Amino acid sequence: MTSDTDPKETAQDAPAIPPDIPPATLPERDALGSVDAEVLTSALQWLRQGEPSWLATVVQTWGSSPRPAGSLLAANRSGSIVGSLSGGCVEDDLIDKLVAGDIAAEHPEFFRYGVTPEETERLGLPCGGNLDVVVEPLYADADGLARLERIQATVAARRCIERTLDLNTGTTHLADVERFRQLAWNEDTQRLTQTFGPRQQLFIIGAGMVSAYLAEFARSLEFDITVCDPREHLLNDFQVKGVRTVCDMPDDAIRAGASDAQSAIVALTHDPRIDDMGLLEALTTDAFYIGAMGSTRTSAARRERLAALDVPAALIDRLRAPIGLSIGSKTPPEIAIAILAEIIEVRTKNAEGAAAARSLEAAG
């Protein structure tokens, strides 16, 4: 959280239009900033070098599991791996089986880890944890290379692409999609459908330094990022690649494209006229996270302004302000880390709550 003594954070002291925040100069990174992209890039490089390779996907977990469904691992015959399925000994066991030709030698296969308590303990899986994995051989023929290249190019452009794998026939189908969809695995039909690309949207109001660090860090977590600021000169100086920029008032932009339950919205301009305009709209959406930067005193004043505009108390209670986990953050990158950590925390708790609700519904 920001400090109560930060002079920039008090609404009373804020100028009508705050001084321009210098643009951040962050190190350039490859547009493929995600773990999925690194896995796919490595697999593509190996195939281009003529190295036999495989792609493994976690399709389902039971009980406690260190890695969620959709986690990827690429491996080659030399024993190199990129990505992770469990963070334990599953990776070593899998590469041994692949190199020995015991699984997925010619066709994709489904494999389950943690069938017995002895195996669970040997592989370092959490108590009661099972791990279902689909493993497929990758081929360096024209079709195989073209598919991986298309996926890589789509992810690099921060768009989503859906891949469907039929284990019965070994065929793969690709289709461009608008938004990320959760992995779907049907054990009966042996069909896997998975989306590659940004999973959720992070909508940032303001193109200042904290926004630049936040956007840069969030790229690695596969967020689809939009930065909105009506001040064109700040947007022109925004240096983070792979980010959509919108020069508009934030309420209009949120209404147009950040109102669903897959969106997180943060207000970071220091200008209440811009931030509050965005928050008035954001609080009426289904966004899973809404936060605003400012000290405790500034945040209290913001809540008073929203209440004076007849925003219901239940909606104001959705606002996380001061924004971010309380880690004593002071500098722009530290504040960005605190914000992103809180977004992840809320996202995880929401997912756990939804899973618990589904379990209760199934039990009933």
Side-chain angles (χ1 to χ4, degrees):
M1 294 182 185
T2 51
S3 168
D4 284 345
T5 60
D6 184 350
K8 292 187 296 183
E9 303 301 329
T10 59
Q12 294 88 346
D13 296 335
I17 298 179
D20 293 347
I21 302 172
T25 53
L26 301 175
E28 288 192 8
R29 294 179 53 193
D30 192 297
L32 300 177
S34 70
V35 175
D36 284 0
E38 293 177 13
V39 170
L40 296 171
T41 297
S42 296
L44 187 55
Q45 290 175 344
W46 293 334
L47 293 184
R48 286 170 175 165
Q49 296 165 1
E51 182 78 38
S53 305
W54 296 268
L55 182 67
T57 306
V58 176
V59 296
Q60 194 163 245
T61 63
W62 302 92
S64 299
S65 175
R67 297 287 287 144
S71 298
L72 295 178
L73 178 144
N76 64 24
R77 193 173 292 280
S78 300
S80 298
I81 62 172
V82 179
S84 175
L85 301 180
S86 73
C89 297
V90 165
E91 289 81 358
D92 293 337
D93 183 80
L94 178 63
I95 193 66
D96 289 343
K97 287 181 167 62
L98 290 171
V99 172
D102 293 337
I103 60 172
E106 296 181 358
H107 306 287
E109 289 188 32
F110 168 81
F111 198 80
R112 175 168 291 165
Y113 280 104
V115 175
T116 65
E118 293 77 16
E119 184 182 56
T120 297
E121 182 176 359
R122 177 174 64 85
L123 295 174
L125 292 171
C127 181
N130 289 352
L131 198 65
D132 289 354
V133 181
V134 166
V135 186
E136 57 190 291
L138 301 176
Y139 299 104
D141 57 18
D143 288 342
L145 285 170
R147 282 194 293 268
L148 276 181
E149 288 170 348
R150 179 179 170 187
I151 293 173
Q152 184 192 48
T154 303
V155 174
R158 308 296 295 164
R159 298 194 307 271
C160 290
I161 187 167
E162 187 175 81
R163 185 179 72 112
T164 300
L165 172 66
D166 189 327
L167 273 66
N168 295 311
T169 63
T171 57
T172 301
H173 175 73
L174 299 179
D176 294 321
V177 293
E178 290 296 323
R179 301 298 294 270
F180 184 87
R181 300 171 184 170
Q182 294 300 316
L183 178 145
W185 162 247
N186 190 314
E187 190 171 349
D188 294 332
T189 63
Q190 294 286 286
R191 179 168 294 209
L192 167 65
T193 302
Q194 184 176 17
T195 304
F196 296 100
R199 281 166 165 72
Q200 290 175 314
Q201 176 174 203
L202 175 59
F203 187 95
I204 303 173
I205 303 171
M209 185 171 282
V210 172
S211 299
Y213 279 102
L214 179 59
E216 180 72 14
F217 297 155
R219 288 177 66 247
S220 298
L221 298 180
E222 300 169 348
F223 279 94
D224 182 29
I225 303 165
T226 298
V227 174
C228 176
D229 200 314
R231 300 166 296 186
E232 186 174 3
H233 62 289
L234 288 182
L235 280 181
N236 290 339
D237 289 334
F238 200 76
Q239 301 295 311
V240 182
K241 292 185 178 180
V243 172
R244 182 186 305 107
T245 57
V246 178
C247 188
D248 198 355
M249 290 304 292
D251 55 334
D252 293 331
I254 290 170
R255 194 178 304 116
S259 60
D260 63 12
Q262 298 301 312
S263 295
I265 303 171
V266 296
L268 308 178
T269 72
H270 295 301
D271 187 338
R273 295 182 304 174
I274 300 175
D275 285 342
D276 289 5
M277 184 69 73
L279 293 173
L280 284 169
E281 183 65 30
L283 292 171
T284 67
T285 70
D286 293 328
F288 74 89
Y289 179 94
I290 303 167
M293 187 162 60
S295 67
T296 301
R297 183 165 59 253
T298 300
S299 298
R302 176 178 286 113
R303 288 187 170 89
E304 291 176 1
R305 291 195 303 271
L306 293 173
L309 293 171
D310 296 327
V311 178
L315 294 185
I316 296 176
D317 288 344
R318 298 185 62 200
L319 178 63
R320 292 179 176 269
I323 199 171
L325 294 184
S326 182
I327 60 173
S329 54
K330 300 291 185 182
T331 66
E334 290 174 347
I335 295 170
I337 289 171
I339 294 170
L340 194 54
E342 187 174 52
I343 291 173
I344 294 168
E345 179 185 52
V346 171
R347 181 176 68 178
T348 301
K349 288 181 178 179
N350 288 349
E352 290 173 348
R358 289 194 298 270
S359 297
L360 287 175
E361 183 178 351

